[in-house]
Amino acid sequence: MKVDCSRPIGVFDSGLGGLTVARELNAALPWERIVYLGDTARVPYGTRSAGTVIRYARGCARFLAKSEIKALVVACNTVSAVAMDHLRAELDLPVLGVIGPGARAAVCASRTGRIGVLATLGTVASGAYPREVAGISSRCEVFQRAAPLLVSLAEEGWLDGEVPRLAARRYLEPLVASGVDVVLLGCTHFPLLRACIEEVLAELAGGTVRVVDSAQATAQHVAVFLAERGLAAAESQGGLHVCVTDLPGTFEATAAAFLGAKPDSFEEVDL
Ligand code: DGL
């Protein structure tokens, strides 16, 4: 069946952090319409068991599938790490995650083959990034670090100064000690702390470690995927509609921080 390419792209995340992926999608594909779902009532996913994350992810995916989307982008690294097979089995749609594009970008960026990954506890425990990297290149080795405090700092909008620098330092020191030359931001929230992470890396390793963002890599991958499948919008649709499962008072400020702009529209929904 030929899918109507004027349909929107569905994007979901555990909360608002996935708007960093929506922002990159918007930059790479400004003519595409995006329907975003943030499961703000149940965030964070990164500290939960894989079974719970899969259950939550299924609910989010079913909700977006009802919005007549042409493809589903799983912005959440934790969901991408544990639930992709389940979502692909269940949905009659292309389902794209962030782990593959992020891993490929890290492999391409690394000269030494020693790759550091900063992610949530769930993503680290799943072993998804090391597995993906091993499937791309046998010369690469992955060193992972769960960095849950960075998620809270990004949520809080606490992006510079002593506290984020100390937290970033604590997480990055062991990666630098392992001799990594690339640090992959394997979590939706970490692009907000990119400047702080780069500063700390420059202090620890004198500019020898590059930062790679899985959100940017994913947006490029989605652009190529849509073009190759004939699914790219033929004329400009544009627009980002955000659905959330809980609408806190801080919604507009937090969304703007992750997105870099205001969404065109938003609503609270029940899954
Ligand atoms: N969206 C999650 C991720 O990228 C981070 C926040 C959470 O723990 O839910 O892994």
Side-chain angles (χ1 to χ4, degrees):
M1 183 188 72
K2 175 83 178 96
V3 175
D4 177 0
C5 54
S6 69
R7 288 183 180 187
I9 302 170
V11 180
F12 83 91
D13 179 45
S14 54
L16 298 177
L19 287 170
T20 55
V21 176
R23 175 185 194 156
E24 296 299 338
L25 281 170
N26 220 6
L29 299 162
W31 52 91
E32 297 285 350
R33 197 152 48 97
I34 296 173
V35 180
Y36 178 95
L37 171 65
D39 192 6
T40 44
R42 296 187 293 195
V43 70
Y45 285 8
T47 49
R48 302 191 196 278
S49 68
T52 299
V53 172
I54 291 166
R55 186 156 50 84
Y56 288 177
R58 280 185 155 145
C60 293
R62 278 188 208 127
F63 173 86
L64 282 173
K66 278 189 252 151
S67 305
E68 309 248 293
I69 52 173
K70 61 183 171 186
L72 179 66
V73 177
V74 180
C76 182
N77 285 255
T78 309
V79 173
S80 297
V82 300
M84 292 303 284
D85 291 346
H86 295 85
L87 298 180
R88 286 189 173 128
E90 192 163 326
L91 298 176
D92 192 15
L93 280 170
V95 183
L96 305 156
V98 293
I99 304 286
R104 274 193 295 281
V107 169
C108 290
S110 176
R111 271 170 296 168
T112 62
R114 296 173 87 78
I115 295 170
V117 173
L118 278 184
T120 62
L121 289 158
T123 301
V124 168
S126 75
Y129 274 116
R131 232 180 356 262
E132 193 72 29
V133 166
I136 300 167
S137 165
S138 55
R139 83 179 171 94
C140 289
E141 198 177 346
V142 173
F143 301 85
Q144 305 189 88
R145 195 78 196 161
L149 255 187
L150 299 188
V151 174
S152 312
L153 287 166
E155 284 281 332
E156 190 78 12
W158 200 347
L159 307 177
D160 48 36
E162 210 182 339
V163 173
R165 282 166 67 85
L166 278 175
R169 197 179 177 94
R170 182 61 78 87
Y171 294 130
L172 291 167
E173 254 167 1
L175 295 180
V176 171
S178 305
V180 303
D181 72 341
V182 162
V183 169
L184 173 65
L185 305 183
C187 173
T188 48
H189 287 56
F190 299 167
L192 261 75
L193 286 156
R194 184 174 183 148
C196 170
I197 289 169
E198 282 177 332
E199 247 174 67
V200 172
L201 281 173
E203 276 168 26
L204 292 173
T208 56
V209 183
R210 287 177 64 186
V211 171
V212 170
D213 178 357
S214 64
Q216 279 173 351
T218 300
Q220 296 307 326
H221 173 66
V222 173
V224 171
F225 180 90
L226 293 181
E228 281 178 358
R229 305 289 160 109
L231 284 173
E235 53 194 58
S236 183
Q237 314 283 328
L240 169 66
H241 180 64
V242 174
C243 304
V244 286
T245 49
D246 179 59
L247 191 58
T250 52
F251 168 79
E252 290 192 55
T254 312
F258 284 113
L259 190 62
K262 280 187 176 173
D264 295 295
S265 52
F266 62 88
E267 65 179 315
E268 186 172 357
V269 298
D270 200 358
L271 300 185

